[in-house]
Structures are given as structure tokens and as C-alpha cells.
Amino acid sequence: MAYHADATDLTDKEILTWEGFGEASRELSRTVVASGFLPEIIIAVARGGLTLAGAMTYSLGVKLSDAINVEFYTDVNETLPDPILLAPMLDTESIAGRKILVVDDVADSGRTLHLVIKLLRGFGADVRSAVLYAKTRSIVTADYVWKTTDDWIVFPWSAEPPVTEE
């Protein structure tokens, strides 16, 4: 079974450590605060955005959080034809008119982030987006970006294969 970081054939990799993640999430949170945008709700794009969104809820002092489940990547450099929403769906009735920060680990093609932002804005939310990494090919320019790279990214939460029964 392949896992997210199993990119042994790729020579150009961006490797983020847990310590680096801690620093990056604080820096990204500082950028949001400096912009004057004060989110009321942070929504993670699951799975990649869950860890960052959790860290940012604490850094920004935001107590309301949720997640939206989207599937797009099926393996290293392999995607579905289009990103798709998966159940369970988030509570869209409570977001109208709210200030929302959508958080994901990377804006790669940008198609997942585009889908989520469009969906949330369709429910009347004021939506901004934050990502640790942005790729230059992304169709979406995230409002807040920690770093831009076109290398494959190895995140600390997906650097090891899934735990299996021995």
C-alpha cells in the first residue's frame, strides 16, 4: 500500500518536520492576524488540513471549527478526475454571514480549495483561505501562504506508512 510520502522516485522534495510545522503554523497565524481578518470559524479541508487547522484554532483563539471531507489525491501524483465531497457534510446552515478561514496543507492544483471556497461562499460566508504551501500551478491563490514550492511535500503526519496489525 502506497502512502502519501512514499515518493522514492522523486528527487526534489520539501520535507517539513514536526518542529518546522509548529513554527510554520504560528507564522501563518501571525500573517492572518496582521491582515486584520478575524475568523469566527476555521474549517479544515480533510484530511491534509486537519492538523494545521487544529493548530491555528489555538494560535488564533478561535473556538469554532469544522471540517469538510474532500477526496482528490489517490496516490503520489495520482488524482481523481475531479475533487469530490465526501460524507459526512459540514453544517452549512450555521455559516451564512460568518467569517470563515478555510485551511489546507497545500494548494497544489488548487482545484480542491476552489471547490470548498465556492461552496462556502454559496452559503453566504465571508471566506478566506490559508495553506502551508502553494504551488505556482495552483488555479487558486490562497489568501495566506506560508511558503511557495513546486517540489513534492513530505508532511510529518504522512511521512510514515499507516499503522497496520502486525
Side-chain angles (χ1 to χ4, degrees):
M1 166 189 262
Y3 56 100
H4 189 73
D6 188 17
T8 51
D9 58 329
L10 298 177
T11 54
D12 296 327
K13 293 182 220 174
E14 172 83 25
I15 297 174
L16 183 65
T17 63
W18 280 114
E19 182 179 356
F21 166 72
E23 294 167 6
S25 64
R26 291 292 292 185
E27 287 177 26
L28 192 56
S29 295
R30 282 195 222 33
T31 304
V32 173
V33 169
S35 77
F37 182 71
L38 303 173
E40 299 170 89
I41 304 169
I42 293 179
I43 296 180
V45 178
R47 292 181 312 178
L50 287 168
T51 307
L52 177 60
M56 291 184 76
T57 62
Y58 283 95
S59 294
L60 297 172
V62 175
K63 294 196 177 212
L64 298 177
S65 62
D66 207 335
I68 188 163
N69 297 289
V70 182
E71 183 175 24
F72 191 37
Y73 274 87
T74 56
D75 204 342
V76 174
N77 289 328
E78 287 182 23
T79 65
L80 297 171
D82 291 298
I84 56 171
L85 298 174
L86 301 174
M89 300 299 188
L90 72 104
D91 177 12
T92 53
E93 292 179 15
S94 64
I95 63 172
R98 305 294 290 271
K99 291 181 179 180
I100 296 176
L101 183 64
V102 173
V103 176
D104 205 355
D105 54 355
V106 60
D108 194 323
S109 69
R111 293 170 64 197
T112 298
L113 203 54
H114 179 264
L115 173 71
V116 172
I117 291 169
K118 183 178 175 184
L119 174 76
L120 297 175
R121 285 186 176 153
F123 288 103
D126 178 4
V127 181
R128 309 281 169 88
S129 58
V131 296
L132 283 173
Y133 291 96
K135 304 275 181 110
T136 57
R137 66 178 172 260
S138 177
I139 63 168
V140 170
T141 301
D143 297 288
Y144 311 105
V145 176
W146 177 66
K147 188 174 182 183
T148 300
T149 184
D150 284 323
D151 292 340
W152 181 257
I153 305 155
V154 178
F155 293 101
W157 49 87
S158 59
E160 298 291 328
V163 175
T164 58
E165 190 174 344
E166 303 218 12

